[in-house]
């Protein structure tokens, strides 16, 4: 199965060589990717929020929020209905996705080191910031200003955080076995991964669930409301770099690892063989699209598309070639298995 996937990907790479699939003209490395209707929402660290049409790879500017994070040196984060930004002086801002307007800001924060992660509570009522020195700050919106509710010094490096819509909590990681859950009133709860594993990255799953990628290559599911933490997938020892969760019930989960491996598994079929693919780079963000597709965002300012099952790959080969492969072409490109039509509608 993995040999067939590799051969199909090789055929796709060759057929698409003259017109690579993806977008190569982002102004900054993408911080967040999300599907919204027929478009991809893409947010760069320069505060530029773009809409991308995956069928044509055309992009449009939705909002330019660089005034709050700067063209370089700042960061931007995408929440539910809001964008959060931080500039090189550690000043922060909360803006509306609907019209790009400023909700509130604070230029003087208690952070002494770079703020590298942010997440917002529901309805834009507040947010949490985390820095390289292990400081977490809970903020509330107080008119046009942001007010400190509570500070926590947890150590490590607050490298990731995400909001859980069901519990209203924000989940944060500091590169250790500990997982932190913060509420809008400043309360802090902690759970720990088992087996000496360490949390490395996060993704929001189905409502009430947050997924965690670990240094040992495992995927964990956290339910903050129930304070429940369990392992969904046992990895092969390679650190997980990014995670994406299929919309709806979150049945399919994709992740990339530190050696550029890409894996998709079905959480409801424990005995099913995961789909695996070797990538040419290591994406820092990813998102599921329609039709067995995952979109990958890279720090080189590009977005690329990969398929998550061999049938979809075969259909793309069919669309590019304009016909099914002959038995000779199957033998040349695949080299094993029974020759099958690459076009579902072609005998």
């Amino acid at each position: 199965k993995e040999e067939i996937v590799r051969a199909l990907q090789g055929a796709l790479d060759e057929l698409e060589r003259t017109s690579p699939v993806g977008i190569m003209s982002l102004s900054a490395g993408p911080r967040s990717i999300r599907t919204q209707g027929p478009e991809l929402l893409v947010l760069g660290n320069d505060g530029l929020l773009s809409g991308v049409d995956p069928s044509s790879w055309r992009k449009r500017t939705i909002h330019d929020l660089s005034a709050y994070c700067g063209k370089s040196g700042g960061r931007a984060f995408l929440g539910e209905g809001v964008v959060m930004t931080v500039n090189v002086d550690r000043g922060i801002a909360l803006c509306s996705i609907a019209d790009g307007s400023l909700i509130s800001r604070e230029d003087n924060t208690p952070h002494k080191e770079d703020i590298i992660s942010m997440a917002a509570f529901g309805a834009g009522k507040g947010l949490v910031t985390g820095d390289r020195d292990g400081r977490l700050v809970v903020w509330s919106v107080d008119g046009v200003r942001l007010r400190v509710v509570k500070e926590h010094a947890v150590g490590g490096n607050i490298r990731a955080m995400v909001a859980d819509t069901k519990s209203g909590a924000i989940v944060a990681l500091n590169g250790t076995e500990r997982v932190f859950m913060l509420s809008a009133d400043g309360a802090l709860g902690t759970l720990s991964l088992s087996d000496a594993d360490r949390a490395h990255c996060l993704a929001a799953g189905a409502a009430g669930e947050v997924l965690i990628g670990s240094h040992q290559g495992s995927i964990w599911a956290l339910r903050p409301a129930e304070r429940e933490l369990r392992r969904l997938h046992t990895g092969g020892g390679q650190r997980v770099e990014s995670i994406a969760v299929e919309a709806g019930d979150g049945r399919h989960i994709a992740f990339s690892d530190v050696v550029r491996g890409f894996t998709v598994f079905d959480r409801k079929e424990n005995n099913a063989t995961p789909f695996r693919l070797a990538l040419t780079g290591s994406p820092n963000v990813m998102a599921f699209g329609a039709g067995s597709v995952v979109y990958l965002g890279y720090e080189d300012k590009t977005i690329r598309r990969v398929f998550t099952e061999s049938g979809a790959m075969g259909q793309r080969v069919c669309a590019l070639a304009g016909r099914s492969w002959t038995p000779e072409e199957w033998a040349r490109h695949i080299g094993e298995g029974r020759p099958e039509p690459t076009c579902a509608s072609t005998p």
Side-chain angles (χ1 to χ4, degrees), residues 46-90:
D46 57 355
L48 193 67
L49 181 64
S50 302
V52 176
D53 179 356
S55 64
S56 64
W57 293 108
R58 292 190 180 94
K59 68 182 178 72
R60 65 184 182 92
T61 298
I62 299 174
H63 301 303
D64 183 351
L65 304 174
S66 59
Y68 304 112
C69 60
K71 290 292 185 181
S72 64
R75 291 181 172 85
F77 304 87
L78 191 60
E80 288 297 327
V82 296
V83 172
M84 298 148 282
T85 66
V86 57
N87 61 29
V88 292
D89 297 317
R90 297 183 285 278

Side-chain angles (χ1 to χ4, degrees), residues 20 30 33 42 45 70 124 126 129 171 201 206 208 216 222 260 281 318 323 335:
I33 301 178
V42 182
N45 270 333
T129 52
V171 179
C201 60
Q216 292 183 359
L222 168 67
R260 301 179 179 179
C318 167
R323 57 177 174 78

